[in-house]
PDB file of all heavy atoms in Angstrom:
ATOM      1  N   VAL A   1      -3.682   1.728  -5.210  1.00 96.00           N
ATOM      2  CA  VAL A   1      -2.423   1.108  -5.593  1.00 96.00           C
ATOM      3  C   VAL A   1      -2.728  -0.043  -6.545  1.00 96.00           C
ATOM      4  O   VAL A   1      -3.547  -0.910  -6.235  1.00 96.00           O
ATOM      5  CB  VAL A   1      -1.651   0.570  -4.370  1.00 96.00           C
ATOM      6  CG1 VAL A   1      -0.365  -0.134  -4.820  1.00 96.00           C
ATOM      7  CG2 VAL A   1      -1.331   1.698  -3.405  1.00 96.00           C
ATOM      8  N   ILE A   2      -2.086  -0.030  -7.704  1.00 97.00           N
ATOM      9  CA  ILE A   2      -2.176  -1.154  -8.632  1.00 97.00           C
ATOM     10  C   ILE A   2      -0.909  -1.974  -8.458  1.00 97.00           C
ATOM     11  O   ILE A   2       0.199  -1.487  -8.676  1.00 97.00           O
ATOM     12  CB  ILE A   2      -2.316  -0.675 -10.083  1.00 97.00           C
ATOM     13  CG1 ILE A   2      -3.620   0.119 -10.246  1.00 97.00           C
ATOM     14  CG2 ILE A   2      -2.290  -1.858 -11.042  1.00 97.00           C
ATOM     15  CD1 ILE A   2      -3.811   0.711 -11.637  1.00 97.00           C
ATOM     16  N   ALA A   3      -1.089  -3.222  -8.035  1.00 97.00           N
ATOM     17  CA  ALA A   3       0.045  -4.114  -7.754  1.00 97.00           C
ATOM     18  C   ALA A   3       0.055  -5.248  -8.775  1.00 97.00           C
ATOM     19  O   ALA A   3      -0.932  -5.975  -8.914  1.00 97.00           O
ATOM     20  CB  ALA A   3      -0.066  -4.678  -6.343  1.00 97.00           C
ATOM     21  N   VAL A   4       1.163  -5.383  -9.483  1.00 98.00           N
ATOM     22  CA  VAL A   4       1.316  -6.457 -10.466  1.00 98.00           C
ATOM     23  C   VAL A   4       1.996  -7.632  -9.763  1.00 98.00           C
ATOM     24  O   VAL A   4       3.124  -7.497  -9.272  1.00 98.00           O
ATOM     25  CB  VAL A   4       2.140  -5.996 -11.681  1.00 98.00           C
ATOM     26  CG1 VAL A   4       2.135  -7.075 -12.756  1.00 98.00           C
ATOM     27  CG2 VAL A   4       1.589  -4.687 -12.241  1.00 98.00           C
ATOM     28  N   VAL A   5       1.294  -8.756  -9.700  1.00 97.00           N
ATOM     29  CA  VAL A   5       1.758  -9.896  -8.903  1.00 97.00           C
ATOM     30  C   VAL A   5       1.861 -11.122  -9.808  1.00 97.00           C
ATOM     31  O   VAL A   5       0.854 -11.755 -10.124  1.00 97.00           O
ATOM     32  CB  VAL A   5       0.794 -10.180  -7.733  1.00 97.00           C
ATOM     33  CG1 VAL A   5       1.366 -11.277  -6.839  1.00 97.00           C
ATOM     34  CG2 VAL A   5       0.524  -8.917  -6.925  1.00 97.00           C
ATOM     35  N   PRO A   6       3.057 -11.493 -10.228  1.00 96.00           N
ATOM     36  CA  PRO A   6       3.211 -12.665 -11.086  1.00 96.00           C
ATOM     37  C   PRO A   6       3.271 -13.953 -10.272  1.00 96.00           C
ATOM     38  O   PRO A   6       3.439 -13.926  -9.048  1.00 96.00           O
ATOM     39  CB  PRO A   6       4.554 -12.408 -11.767  1.00 96.00           C
ATOM     40  CG  PRO A   6       5.339 -11.670 -10.722  1.00 96.00           C
ATOM     41  CD  PRO A   6       4.335 -10.794 -10.003  1.00 96.00           C
ATOM     42  N   ASP A   7       3.143 -15.054 -10.959  1.00 96.00           N
ATOM     43  CA  ASP A   7       3.292 -16.369 -10.344  1.00 96.00           C
ATOM     44  C   ASP A   7       4.767 -16.757 -10.438  1.00 96.00           C
ATOM     45  O   ASP A   7       5.257 -17.147 -11.493  1.00 96.00           O
ATOM     46  CB  ASP A   7       2.419 -17.389 -11.084  1.00 96.00           C
ATOM     47  CG  ASP A   7       2.410 -18.746 -10.391  1.00 96.00           C
ATOM     48  OD1 ASP A   7       3.039 -18.874  -9.325  1.00 96.00           O
ATOM     49  OD2 ASP A   7       1.785 -19.676 -10.927  1.00 96.00           O
ATOM     50  N   GLY A   8       5.495 -16.606  -9.331  1.00 96.00           N
ATOM     51  CA  GLY A   8       6.923 -16.891  -9.335  1.00 96.00           C
ATOM     52  C   GLY A   8       7.618 -16.137  -8.226  1.00 96.00           C
ATOM     53  O   GLY A   8       6.966 -15.550  -7.355  1.00 96.00           O
ATOM     54  N   PRO A   9       8.945 -16.109  -8.230  1.00 97.00           N
ATOM     55  CA  PRO A   9       9.695 -15.430  -7.164  1.00 97.00           C
ATOM     56  C   PRO A   9       9.332 -13.959  -7.018  1.00 97.00           C
ATOM     57  O   PRO A   9       9.253 -13.446  -5.897  1.00 97.00           O
ATOM     58  CB  PRO A   9      11.162 -15.592  -7.609  1.00 97.00           C
ATOM     59  CG  PRO A   9      11.164 -16.830  -8.447  1.00 97.00           C
ATOM     60  CD  PRO A   9       9.846 -16.841  -9.153  1.00 97.00           C
ATOM     61  N   GLY A  10       9.104 -13.267  -8.138  1.00 96.00           N
ATOM     62  CA  GLY A  10       8.736 -11.855  -8.053  1.00 96.00           C
ATOM     63  C   GLY A  10       7.414 -11.651  -7.344  1.00 96.00           C
ATOM     64  O   GLY A  10       7.247 -10.702  -6.579  1.00 96.00           O
ATOM     65  N   GLY A  11       6.469 -12.562  -7.585  1.00 95.00           N
ATOM     66  CA  GLY A  11       5.183 -12.483  -6.911  1.00 95.00           C
ATOM     67  C   GLY A  11       5.299 -12.769  -5.431  1.00 95.00           C
ATOM     68  O   GLY A  11       4.671 -12.087  -4.601  1.00 95.00           O
ATOM     69  N   ARG A  12       6.120 -13.766  -5.094  1.00 96.00           N
ATOM     70  CA  ARG A  12       6.308 -14.086  -3.676  1.00 96.00           C
ATOM     71  C   ARG A  12       6.989 -12.940  -2.941  1.00 96.00           C
ATOM     72  O   ARG A  12       6.703 -12.685  -1.755  1.00 96.00           O
ATOM     73  CB  ARG A  12       7.111 -15.382  -3.525  1.00 96.00           C
ATOM     74  CG  ARG A  12       6.337 -16.619  -4.008  1.00 96.00           C
ATOM     75  CD  ARG A  12       7.026 -17.891  -3.612  1.00 96.00           C
ATOM     76  NE  ARG A  12       8.275 -18.123  -4.328  1.00 96.00           N
ATOM     77  CZ  ARG A  12       8.373 -18.707  -5.512  1.00 96.00           C
ATOM     78  NH1 ARG A  12       7.272 -19.089  -6.154  1.00 96.00           N
ATOM     79  NH2 ARG A  12       9.542 -18.904  -6.092  1.00 96.00           N
ATOM     80  N   ALA A  13       7.867 -12.231  -3.627  1.00 96.00           N
ATOM     81  CA  ALA A  13       8.538 -11.082  -3.015  1.00 96.00           C
ATOM     82  C   ALA A  13       7.574  -9.929  -2.761  1.00 96.00           C
ATOM     83  O   ALA A  13       7.892  -9.005  -1.994  1.00 96.00           O
ATOM     84  CB  ALA A  13       9.688 -10.610  -3.904  1.00 96.00           C
ATOM     85  N   MET A  14       6.403  -9.972  -3.364  1.00 95.00           N
ATOM     86  CA  MET A  14       5.394  -8.929  -3.161  1.00 95.00           C
ATOM     87  C   MET A  14       4.606  -9.130  -1.867  1.00 95.00           C
ATOM     88  O   MET A  14       3.910  -8.204  -1.426  1.00 95.00           O
ATOM     89  CB  MET A  14       4.410  -8.923  -4.335  1.00 95.00           C
ATOM     90  CG  MET A  14       4.992  -8.418  -5.648  1.00 95.00           C
ATOM     91  SD  MET A  14       5.297  -6.643  -5.633  1.00 95.00           S
ATOM     92  CE  MET A  14       3.608  -6.010  -5.574  1.00 95.00           C
ATOM     93  N   THR A  15       4.684 -10.293  -1.250  1.00 95.00           N
ATOM     94  CA  THR A  15       3.843 -10.609  -0.094  1.00 95.00           C
ATOM     95  C   THR A  15       3.954  -9.581   1.029  1.00 95.00           C
ATOM     96  O   THR A  15       2.933  -9.067   1.516  1.00 95.00           O
ATOM     97  CB  THR A  15       4.145 -12.018   0.423  1.00 95.00           C
ATOM     98  OG1 THR A  15       3.874 -12.959  -0.618  1.00 95.00           O
ATOM     99  CG2 THR A  15       3.289 -12.352   1.640  1.00 95.00           C
ATOM    100  N   PRO A  16       5.159  -9.239   1.503  1.00 94.00           N
ATOM    101  CA  PRO A  16       5.223  -8.250   2.593  1.00 94.00           C
ATOM    102  C   PRO A  16       4.726  -6.875   2.183  1.00 94.00           C
ATOM    103  O   PRO A  16       4.208  -6.120   3.020  1.00 94.00           O
ATOM    104  CB  PRO A  16       6.717  -8.218   2.959  1.00 94.00           C
ATOM    105  CG  PRO A  16       7.425  -8.777   1.775  1.00 94.00           C
ATOM    106  CD  PRO A  16       6.493  -9.770   1.167  1.00 94.00           C
ATOM    107  N   VAL A  17       4.863  -6.547   0.915  1.00 93.00           N
ATOM    108  CA  VAL A  17       4.383  -5.253   0.429  1.00 93.00           C
ATOM    109  C   VAL A  17       2.856  -5.224   0.441  1.00 93.00           C
ATOM    110  O   VAL A  17       2.244  -4.246   0.886  1.00 93.00           O
ATOM    111  CB  VAL A  17       4.920  -4.989  -0.991  1.00 93.00           C
ATOM    112  CG1 VAL A  17       4.458  -3.626  -1.491  1.00 93.00           C
ATOM    113  CG2 VAL A  17       6.439  -5.063  -1.003  1.00 93.00           C
ATOM    114  N   LEU A  18       2.241  -6.297  -0.025  1.00 94.00           N
ATOM    115  CA  LEU A  18       0.781  -6.376  -0.005  1.00 94.00           C
ATOM    116  C   LEU A  18       0.257  -6.344   1.429  1.00 94.00           C
ATOM    117  O   LEU A  18      -0.778  -5.724   1.708  1.00 94.00           O
ATOM    118  CB  LEU A  18       0.323  -7.642  -0.725  1.00 94.00           C
ATOM    119  CG  LEU A  18       0.611  -7.681  -2.232  1.00 94.00           C
ATOM    120  CD1 LEU A  18       0.296  -9.064  -2.801  1.00 94.00           C
ATOM    121  CD2 LEU A  18      -0.184  -6.624  -2.971  1.00 94.00           C
ATOM    122  N   ASP A  19       0.996  -6.980   2.334  1.00 93.00           N
ATOM    123  CA  ASP A  19       0.608  -6.928   3.753  1.00 93.00           C
ATOM    124  C   ASP A  19       0.660  -5.502   4.276  1.00 93.00           C
ATOM    125  O   ASP A  19      -0.250  -5.043   4.991  1.00 93.00           O
ATOM    126  CB  ASP A  19       1.535  -7.813   4.585  1.00 93.00           C
ATOM    127  CG  ASP A  19       1.310  -9.302   4.337  1.00 93.00           C
ATOM    128  OD1 ASP A  19       0.252  -9.660   3.769  1.00 93.00           O
ATOM    129  OD2 ASP A  19       2.195 -10.104   4.694  1.00 93.00           O
ATOM    130  N   ALA A  20       1.722  -4.778   3.926  1.00 91.00           N
ATOM    131  CA  ALA A  20       1.870  -3.398   4.394  1.00 91.00           C
ATOM    132  C   ALA A  20       0.771  -2.510   3.814  1.00 91.00           C
ATOM    133  O   ALA A  20       0.238  -1.626   4.502  1.00 91.00           O
ATOM    134  CB  ALA A  20       3.246  -2.857   4.007  1.00 91.00           C
ATOM    135  N   LEU A  21       0.421  -2.726   2.568  1.00 93.00           N
ATOM    136  CA  LEU A  21      -0.644  -1.941   1.946  1.00 93.00           C
ATOM    137  C   LEU A  21      -1.984  -2.222   2.616  1.00 93.00           C
ATOM    138  O   LEU A  21      -2.785  -1.303   2.850  1.00 93.00           O
ATOM    139  CB  LEU A  21      -0.727  -2.265   0.455  1.00 93.00           C
ATOM    140  CG  LEU A  21       0.460  -1.802  -0.403  1.00 93.00           C
ATOM    141  CD1 LEU A  21       0.340  -2.358  -1.814  1.00 93.00           C
ATOM    142  CD2 LEU A  21       0.549  -0.285  -0.435  1.00 93.00           C
ATOM    143  N   ARG A  22      -2.239  -3.478   2.941  1.00 92.00           N
ATOM    144  CA  ARG A  22      -3.492  -3.833   3.620  1.00 92.00           C
ATOM    145  C   ARG A  22      -3.566  -3.166   4.990  1.00 92.00           C
ATOM    146  O   ARG A  22      -4.607  -2.658   5.398  1.00 92.00           O
ATOM    147  CB  ARG A  22      -3.600  -5.356   3.740  1.00 92.00           C
ATOM    148  CG  ARG A  22      -4.938  -5.822   4.337  1.00 92.00           C
ATOM    149  CD  ARG A  22      -5.118  -7.318   4.246  1.00 92.00           C
ATOM    150  NE  ARG A  22      -4.062  -8.043   4.925  1.00 92.00           N
ATOM    151  CZ  ARG A  22      -3.105  -8.734   4.295  1.00 92.00           C
ATOM    152  NH1 ARG A  22      -3.077  -8.788   2.977  1.00 92.00           N
ATOM    153  NH2 ARG A  22      -2.176  -9.371   4.982  1.00 92.00           N
ATOM    154  N   GLN A  23      -2.425  -3.136   5.701  1.00 91.00           N
ATOM    155  CA  GLN A  23      -2.405  -2.512   7.024  1.00 91.00           C
ATOM    156  C   GLN A  23      -2.687  -1.016   6.950  1.00 91.00           C
ATOM    157  O   GLN A  23      -3.200  -0.431   7.908  1.00 91.00           O
ATOM    158  CB  GLN A  23      -1.050  -2.762   7.690  1.00 91.00           C
ATOM    159  CG  GLN A  23      -0.822  -4.217   8.079  1.00 91.00           C
ATOM    160  CD  GLN A  23       0.628  -4.501   8.431  1.00 91.00           C
ATOM    161  OE1 GLN A  23       1.429  -3.576   8.603  1.00 91.00           O
ATOM    162  NE2 GLN A  23       0.979  -5.779   8.556  1.00 91.00           N
ATOM    163  N   ARG A  24      -2.367  -0.401   5.815  1.00 89.00           N
ATOM    164  CA  ARG A  24      -2.615   1.033   5.657  1.00 89.00           C
ATOM    165  C   ARG A  24      -4.020   1.314   5.118  1.00 89.00           C
ATOM    166  O   ARG A  24      -4.367   2.468   4.881  1.00 89.00           O
ATOM    167  CB  ARG A  24      -1.568   1.649   4.712  1.00 89.00           C
ATOM    168  CG  ARG A  24      -0.143   1.591   5.264  1.00 89.00           C
ATOM    169  CD  ARG A  24       0.815   2.355   4.368  1.00 89.00           C
ATOM    170  NE  ARG A  24       0.523   3.798   4.388  1.00 89.00           N
ATOM    171  CZ  ARG A  24       0.949   4.635   5.313  1.00 89.00           C
ATOM    172  NH1 ARG A  24       1.681   4.186   6.319  1.00 89.00           N
ATOM    173  NH2 ARG A  24       0.659   5.920   5.242  1.00 89.00           N
ATOM    174  N   GLY A  25      -4.785   0.270   4.909  1.00 91.00           N
ATOM    175  CA  GLY A  25      -6.144   0.454   4.407  1.00 91.00           C
ATOM    176  C   GLY A  25      -6.204   0.871   2.959  1.00 91.00           C
ATOM    177  O   GLY A  25      -7.189   1.481   2.515  1.00 91.00           O
ATOM    178  N   ALA A  26      -5.171   0.541   2.186  1.00 93.00           N
ATOM    179  CA  ALA A  26      -5.109   0.973   0.792  1.00 93.00           C
ATOM    180  C   ALA A  26      -6.133   0.223  -0.061  1.00 93.00           C
ATOM    181  O   ALA A  26      -6.445  -0.949   0.183  1.00 93.00           O
ATOM    182  CB  ALA A  26      -3.707   0.739   0.238  1.00 93.00           C
ATOM    183  N   ASP A  27      -6.631   0.913  -1.062  1.00 94.00           N
ATOM    184  CA  ASP A  27      -7.462   0.303  -2.097  1.00 94.00           C
ATOM    185  C   ASP A  27      -6.498  -0.311  -3.117  1.00 94.00           C
ATOM    186  O   ASP A  27      -5.823   0.405  -3.854  1.00 94.00           O
ATOM    187  CB  ASP A  27      -8.337   1.382  -2.751  1.00 94.00           C
ATOM    188  CG  ASP A  27      -9.297   0.819  -3.798  1.00 94.00           C
ATOM    189  OD1 ASP A  27      -8.874  -0.001  -4.635  1.00 94.00           O
ATOM    190  OD2 ASP A  27     -10.467   1.215  -3.778  1.00 94.00           O
ATOM    191  N   VAL A  28      -6.412  -1.644  -3.137  1.00 96.00           N
ATOM    192  CA  VAL A  28      -5.421  -2.337  -3.962  1.00 96.00           C
ATOM    193  C   VAL A  28      -6.097  -3.072  -5.111  1.00 96.00           C
ATOM    194  O   VAL A  28      -7.000  -3.886  -4.891  1.00 96.00           O
ATOM    195  CB  VAL A  28      -4.592  -3.329  -3.131  1.00 96.00           C
ATOM    196  CG1 VAL A  28      -3.612  -4.090  -4.027  1.00 96.00           C
ATOM    197  CG2 VAL A  28      -3.843  -2.605  -2.019  1.00 96.00           C
ATOM    198  N   CYS A  29      -5.649  -2.770  -6.309  1.00 97.00           N
ATOM    199  CA  CYS A  29      -6.057  -3.524  -7.495  1.00 97.00           C
ATOM    200  C   CYS A  29      -4.918  -4.460  -7.859  1.00 97.00           C
ATOM    201  O   CYS A  29      -3.821  -4.004  -8.194  1.00 97.00           O
ATOM    202  CB  CYS A  29      -6.359  -2.586  -8.660  1.00 97.00           C
ATOM    203  SG  CYS A  29      -6.691  -3.448 -10.214  1.00 97.00           S
ATOM    204  N   ALA A  30      -5.150  -5.766  -7.770  1.00 97.00           N
ATOM    205  CA  ALA A  30      -4.121  -6.746  -8.100  1.00 97.00           C
ATOM    206  C   ALA A  30      -4.247  -7.158  -9.559  1.00 97.00           C
ATOM    207  O   ALA A  30      -5.325  -7.533 -10.021  1.00 97.00           O
ATOM    208  CB  ALA A  30      -4.256  -7.974  -7.207  1.00 97.00           C
ATOM    209  N   VAL A  31      -3.150  -7.063 -10.282  1.00 98.00           N
ATOM    210  CA  VAL A  31      -3.065  -7.583 -11.643  1.00 98.00           C
ATOM    211  C   VAL A  31      -2.347  -8.917 -11.514  1.00 98.00           C
ATOM    212  O   VAL A  31      -1.123  -8.968 -11.367  1.00 98.00           O
ATOM    213  CB  VAL A  31      -2.293  -6.614 -12.561  1.00 98.00           C
ATOM    214  CG1 VAL A  31      -2.254  -7.133 -13.986  1.00 98.00           C
ATOM    215  CG2 VAL A  31      -2.921  -5.224 -12.500  1.00 98.00           C
TER     216      VAL A  31
END
């Protein structure tokens, strides 16, 4: 999963999604 995470409200809204991906053991590339 490639996750684009900006510095701002959009990035903060990504937090629960990144948590869910981590729980699934996903290989995450953060941009």
Side-chain angles (χ1 to χ4, degrees):
V1 177
I2 297 177
V4 187
V5 186
D7 186 2
R12 292 191 290 274
M14 290 289 292
T15 300
V17 182
L18 294 172
D19 289 344
L21 292 172
R22 185 171 59 252
Q23 291 167 12
R24 295 187 67 83
D27 183 314
V28 177
C29 174
V31 182

